Amino acid sequence: DDYCKPIEYISLGTGDLDECGLQSTDIQSLLTDYAPKCYDIDPLYDGTCNNGAIGVPGIKVKMGPPPSSQQYPAGSEPTDDYMVFSMCFDASKVSGFQESGQIGYKTKAGRATCDAYTVLPNFCDPTEATTPSPVAPAPLTPAPVTP
């Protein structure tokens, strides 16, 4: 029965942003839209929980009741046991999927972390992160000849 508790939030890991020079504060500008708007999105989630435990840092999606300013329209309250959401990112800067990422979730029964392979967006372009910049060869200067 503990596994059937409603999900309070999930966190979508953003991967190792350091490898491509990004910070968690950059994620907000890469997130272009999400739906439905009744969920509270926190793109700056550092993984810290109320009890001091560390979870999955990344994008936190609060699945609980919507904030009072965004109540469900009459007749549209959720009646199913599942929740659906989508997020859109700037495709010129976010491409492909993380080879190996993590998704965390929290219910009233506790927290869990799951490995997620090729599911989460790749915020670091692998070609930029692993390919060194081309270096022009130094011009050759002939050594002076002494007679």
Side-chain angles (χ1 to χ4, degrees):
D1 284 336
D2 284 345
Y3 294 105
C4 297
K5 304 277 185 195
I7 294 176
E8 294 178 28
Y9 68 81
I10 62 171
S11 57
L12 308 173
T14 50
D16 184 6
L17 298 175
D18 288 338
E19 75 179 30
C20 58
L22 292 176
Q23 298 177 344
S24 60
T25 53
D26 297 317
I27 299 300
Q28 189 164 0
S29 67
L30 301 175
L31 178 64
T32 59
D33 199 8
Y34 69 92
K37 299 293 186 198
C38 60
Y39 296 145
D40 186 16
I41 305 293
D42 177 6
L44 301 175
Y45 181 56
D46 65 2
T48 305
C49 300
N50 293 343
N51 64 1
I54 299 297
V56 176
I59 302 169
K60 183 177 185 177
V61 182
K62 295 179 188 173
M63 306 293 236
S68 58
S69 64
Q70 298 176 346
Q71 291 299 313
Y72 295 110
S76 69
E77 295 85 2
T79 57
D80 298 320
D81 291 336
Y82 60 89
M83 297 176 190
V84 177
F85 70 94
S86 67
M87 291 185 183
C88 299
F89 297 94
D90 182 343
S92 69
K93 298 178 183 165
V94 178
S95 65
F97 300 101
Q98 295 177 38
E99 188 174 314
S100 175
Q102 288 191 317
I103 297 174
Y105 68 93
K106 182 178 184 311
T107 68
K108 292 198 185 300
R111 303 165 29 96
T113 300
C114 304
D115 292 329
Y117 301 97
T118 62
V119 173
L120 298 170
N122 184 4
F123 294 97
C124 292
D125 181 352
T127 58
E128 288 182 20
T130 58
T131 306
S133 300
V135 177
L140 295 177
T141 305
V145 179
T146 53

